[in-house]
Amino acid sequence: MAESGDSLLKTTDGEVVLTEGERNGNRESKHCEDTSMEAESEHQNKDAEERLPENQSETEQSPVTVQEERPVERRTSESDDMEEEEREEEETEQDTAEQFAQIKERIQKSKLYLDVEPHQWPIIYSPDYNISFLGFEKLHPFDSGKWGKVYSLLKKECMLCDETIICPLEATEDDLLVAHTKKYISRLKWSISVAGITEVPPVALLPNYIVQKKVLRPLRLQTGGSILAAKLAMERGWAINIGGGFHHCSSKQGGGFCAYADITLALRFLFHQGTIQKAMILDLDAHQGNGHERDFMQDKESVYILDVYNRHIYPRDGFAKRGISRKVEVNYFIADEQYMTLVASNLEAALNEFEPDILVYNAGTDSLEGDPLGALSISPQGIIRRDMMVFEFARDRPKPIPIVMVTSGGYQRNNADIIAASILNLWRRGLISCPEAEEFQAKQDGPSTSSRQTPEGEETPSTSNSESAPQGNRGFFRSFLGFFGK
Ligand SMILES: [Zn+2]
């Protein structure tokens, strides 16, 4: 995900600047230490960036700043001060206990954890994910029909069908309040706020009920999808939400086309139910995932964030970096080989440092070459190999880690093709499977329809409805999957 204001900047040397944030247990620490020389040269600027809260919500979240905000004048009686502090502490504890109980109640009442049939893939999608309204969606570079295209392509390749996919429910206000503040949710009732978050100024002129229905509802559905996907990953070992990955949104603030903090919500649901104790977020979208970083900044012992992003582009959120446990900042136009080595070595090191109960994989494809916002140079094959590698890492641990993938950013017309090709590759490699769904599909389609059945190394897929499948797509998948079969 990203802000449309990002511009494609001049090519620099493309050199990687790797800054491995330490696993930092000290919550008072200003930020992770940077280890590279190049990072050090910018250290001063970053410090300045991190010292300056960007808005009120940051100030509220920063333990350092909160202390600074205490009144300078002390009252004369020390005992008065102590009494007041004790009272404040008690009130805070009461508030926290009350909030905790409220959140638990909200989760218990939630209907998002749908009953799923065994013949349904843990792949989540709704046709209503897609945003389309009087051409307004065209005012943002984001392809707001991307999710539907991914689904259609998977369907064309006979991996799944309407009966074997899971359609999520829309996250209600109560669901959203599990992570979001009331103040933030109220702000979305103003079209002008939504215009800012979605970066489509004309949205500000629309009546809010239209904005809710046409813009926010699809995003709430995707949020419901991520929450359900995380739960299914715990049950089935893996799950994919074809949408979601709104990693710039925190509980208090949206931005960069992200209106709801779906990753935070998905994890809060699991934490509150006691399903997990520890989670890792692997964020490979080209942008820094400042939303979840802000939300879990105070929970670094239970949420480990490994973020690989272009250091020069939006959001450059110095404060949020404090939430990252392992930070890998790269320069413009990093290419496959260097990128893959960085992702592999850092993921391995992260998993050796921290054993999560779930891996949330924010698989943005705006790292693809030619992306006007991500400004990296990963080839389509590189994206597919990256996703495969992440799933292999999760599977090959002594105890396999449940993995949930969300698709996040990606701003070119071919992103959908690549996401679909990547999911097909995971399936073909046996990294994801659902025997009941495959059996159901086989019965529907008749014999010799599943691309999974094709012998390794041969071009795939060949389907019974190949007559109706556009040549372009079939050629595309053949070139990708053939590449991987060799
Ligand atoms: Zn992005």
Side-chain angles (χ1 to χ4, degrees):
M1 295 286 161
E3 186 175 70
S4 60
D6 284 347
S7 58
L8 238 190
L9 299 145
K10 286 176 203 131
T11 311
T12 61
D13 52 8
E15 191 192 335
V16 185
V17 178
L18 166 62
T19 58
E20 290 188 6
E22 298 163 336
R23 178 86 188 96
N24 192 347
N26 180 5
R27 290 178 188 175
E28 297 297 311
S29 167
K30 281 252 175 190
H31 54 78
C32 302
E33 288 295 322
D34 296 327
T35 53
S36 81
M37 286 177 67
E38 197 167 332
E40 215 168 34
S41 69
E42 289 195 5
H43 211 84
Q44 215 176 339
N45 289 340
K46 274 206 250 170
D47 273 353
E49 204 178 292
E50 288 171 24
R51 272 197 301 271
L52 289 171
E54 285 158 32
N55 55 31
Q56 189 53 39
S57 66
E58 291 170 18
T59 313
E60 285 163 11
Q61 285 184 21
S62 160
V64 178
T65 321
V66 167
Q67 277 177 358
E68 285 166 358
E69 275 186 343
R70 281 171 182 255
V72 178
E73 309 92 329
R74 305 292 296 174
R75 294 180 339 156
T76 45
S77 160
E78 219 170 274
S79 61
D80 281 356
D81 282 351
M82 282 171 70
E83 269 174 36
E84 185 155 325
E85 273 172 25
E86 275 169 22
R87 242 193 334 268
E88 274 174 14
E89 261 172 42
E90 263 173 43
E91 276 168 19
T92 315
E93 271 172 32
Q94 271 175 11
D95 284 355
T96 313
E98 224 169 88
Q99 279 170 4
F100 191 84
Q102 238 175 14
I103 288 174
K104 263 209 125 66
E105 202 185 319
R106 287 195 170 108
I107 292 175
Q108 273 159 11
K109 279 188 190 159
S110 173
K111 302 205 172 3
L112 293 177
Y113 282 177
L114 298 172
D115 288 332
V116 173
E117 298 290 330
H119 71 267
Q120 287 178 302
W121 287 94
I123 296 180
I124 298 168
Y125 169 74
S126 160
D128 293 337
Y129 273 13
N130 304 291
I131 300 169
S132 168
F133 177 65
L134 298 174
F136 272 91
E137 71 282 2
K138 295 194 177 84
L139 297 173
H140 192 281
F142 194 90
D143 177 4
S144 56
K146 173 175 86 169
W147 311 286
K149 287 178 198 156
V150 173
Y151 177 62
S152 302
L153 291 166
L154 296 176
K155 210 168 154 182
K156 268 177 195 149
E157 298 302 330
C158 289
M159 180 182 178
L160 38 78
C161 60
D162 293 349
E163 289 79 13
T164 58
I165 194 107
I166 299 167
C167 201
L169 291 176
E170 178 186 344
T172 62
E173 188 162 317
D174 260 345
D175 295 325
L176 296 168
L177 288 172
V178 166
H180 285 291
T181 59
K182 279 189 176 157
K183 199 172 157 190
Y184 176 70
I185 298 299
S186 303
R187 236 185 288 154
L188 296 178
K189 291 171 185 162
W190 294 92
S191 299
I192 193 162
S193 303
V194 183
I197 291 167
T198 55
E199 296 150 7
V200 181
V203 164
L205 306 173
L206 297 172
N208 191 257
Y209 75 91
I210 293 180
V211 174
Q212 292 289 338
K213 195 173 163 192
K214 296 291 181 181
V215 181
L216 293 177
R217 184 172 177 268
L219 304 180
R220 283 195 293 267
L221 262 170
Q222 295 192 33
T223 301
S226 295
I227 294 169
L228 177 58
K231 183 230 186 196
L232 286 173
M234 294 307 294
E235 292 170 2
R236 306 262 194 114
W238 68 275
I240 296 172
N241 181 13
I242 289 179
F246 306 129
H247 66 157
H248 296 310
C249 187
S250 70
S251 55
K252 296 176 180 174
Q253 195 180 357
F257 200 74
C258 301
Y260 301 108
D262 65 326
I263 294 176
T264 304
L265 280 159
L267 288 179
R268 292 261 187 255
F269 267 69
L270 293 179
F271 277 123
H272 277 280
Q273 295 205 313
T275 315
I276 59 166
Q277 266 77 51
K278 289 161 87 186
M280 183 179 286
I281 300 171
L282 169 63
D283 196 332
L284 297 187
D285 185 277
H287 299 86
Q288 182 200 345
N290 58 329
H292 55 73
E293 285 158 15
R294 281 167 178 264
D295 285 341
F296 292 116
M297 194 176 284
Q298 303 298 321
D299 304 303
K300 286 178 89 174
E301 265 119 56
S302 50
V303 180
Y304 185 112
I305 298 173
L306 163 54
D307 197 351
V308 183
Y309 57 90
N310 184 339
R311 67 190 325 221
H312 303 288
I313 59 173
Y314 177 86
R316 282 177 289 201
D317 189 338
F319 179 79
K321 285 181 191 174
R322 298 184 203 181
I324 308 177
S325 292
R326 183 169 280 267
K327 172 175 69 173
V328 184
E329 298 187 320
V330 300
N331 273 333
Y332 290 120
F333 309 118
I334 184 173
D336 288 13
E337 206 182 317
Q338 228 175 353
Y339 179 78
M340 227 58 86
T341 309
L342 277 176
V343 173
S345 59
N346 280 284
L347 182 53
E348 173 144 39
L351 290 171
N352 288 337
E353 278 173 28
F354 188 90
E355 286 176 34
D357 301 318
I358 188 168
L359 178 63
V360 180
Y361 175 31
N362 195 50
T365 47
D366 49 7
S367 42
L368 184 69
E369 59 197 7
D371 190 285
L373 305 184
L376 302 180
S377 293
I378 313 303
S379 70
Q381 287 87 356
I383 298 278
I384 294 169
R385 222 163 59 212
R386 175 195 77 172
D387 294 350
M388 185 168 80
M389 187 172 78
V390 171
F391 273 75
E392 281 172 346
F393 262 105
R395 181 196 62 184
D396 295 342
R397 301 303 293 175
K399 188 178 164 220
I401 305 163
I403 177 170
V404 55
M405 172 172 148
V406 289
T407 57
S408 203
Y411 305 90
Q412 300 178 83
R413 296 285 155 188
N414 60 344
N415 281 88
D417 294 343
I418 292 157
I419 296 166
S422 179
I423 293 173
L424 285 169
N425 181 60
L426 294 174
W427 178 37
R428 182 168 175 237
R429 297 271 162 185
L431 286 160
I432 59 174
S433 67
C434 179
E436 289 91 344
E438 291 167 53
E439 209 176 294
F440 185 96
Q441 186 79 37
K443 276 185 205 156
Q444 297 264 305
D445 299 331
S448 309
T449 53
S450 167
S451 58
R452 178 79 184 282
Q453 307 304 319
T454 322
E456 185 76 11
E458 282 184 21
E459 288 191 338
T460 60
S462 168
T463 66
S464 62
N465 67 351
S466 58
E467 295 308 313
S468 59
Q471 277 294 334
N473 286 335
R474 284 164 55 212
F476 176 85
F477 287 120
R478 283 193 176 137
S479 66
F480 276 120
L481 301 179
F483 170 83
F484 280 103
K486 281 166 193 156

